[in-house]
């Protein structure tokens, strides 16, 4: 059923172009996809895979790469929150016994 995903996507979007804000959400999270790709490649080339990069260099590369991706992710999140602040209703802390607007 390869066409099922496309059918769902067209039905969900109704043939409309995605809003620019939706693209911003995707752009803010691209670091995570690249981080997982980096880990997969490092695992394959390191001592858990083909051993092209021997220990301890594989761990050092993953450590330094993870620091870089962490920095990228924190900055992407901060930039996203600065560009898309929460609405006042989402910022308010609910009183005791009141349901949060996000709990619905």
């Amino acid at each position: 059923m390869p066409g099922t995903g496309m059918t769902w996507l067209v039905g969900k979007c109704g043939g409309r172009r995605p809003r620019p804000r939706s693209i911003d959400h995707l752009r803010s999270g691209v670091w995570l996809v690249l981080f997982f790709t980096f880990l997969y490649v490092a695992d394959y080339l390191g001592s858990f895979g083909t051993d092209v990069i021997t220990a301890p260099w594989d761990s050092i590369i993953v450590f330094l790469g993870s620091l870089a991706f962490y920095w990228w992710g924190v900055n992407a999140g901060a930039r996203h929150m600065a560009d898309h602040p929460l609405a006042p209703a989402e910022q308010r802390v609910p009183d005791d016994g009141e349901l949060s607007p996000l709990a619905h």
Side-chain angles (χ1 to χ4, degrees):
M1 292 194 186
T4 305
M6 184 57 85
T7 304
W8 177 83
L9 182 63
V10 170
K12 182 77 172 159
C13 294
R16 296 172 286 156
R17 290 185 57 199
R19 296 178 300 173
R21 185 172 177 170
S22 298
I23 303 256
D24 288 343
H25 289 293
L26 292 175
R27 192 177 298 131
S28 295
V30 72
W31 69 271
L32 186 60
V33 175
L34 294 177
F35 176 61
F36 287 147
T37 304
F38 165 74
L39 286 179
Y40 178 76
V41 170
D43 182 38
Y44 179 75
L45 294 176
S47 57
F48 290 107
T50 59
D51 209 19
V52 172
I53 303 171
T54 58
W57 294 109
D58 58 346
S59 297
I60 293 170
I61 289 170
V62 168
F63 171 72
L64 294 175
S66 296
L67 282 179
F69 279 104
Y70 176 78
W71 177 83
W72 185 9
V74 167
N75 285 325
R79 189 171 43 253
H80 180 76
M81 291 303 292
D83 292 343
H84 304 94
L86 294 175
E90 295 171 337
Q91 292 176 348
R92 189 175 61 82
V93 177
D95 296 331
D96 290 338
E98 181 182 354
L99 288 177
S100 168
L102 301 177
H104 301 305

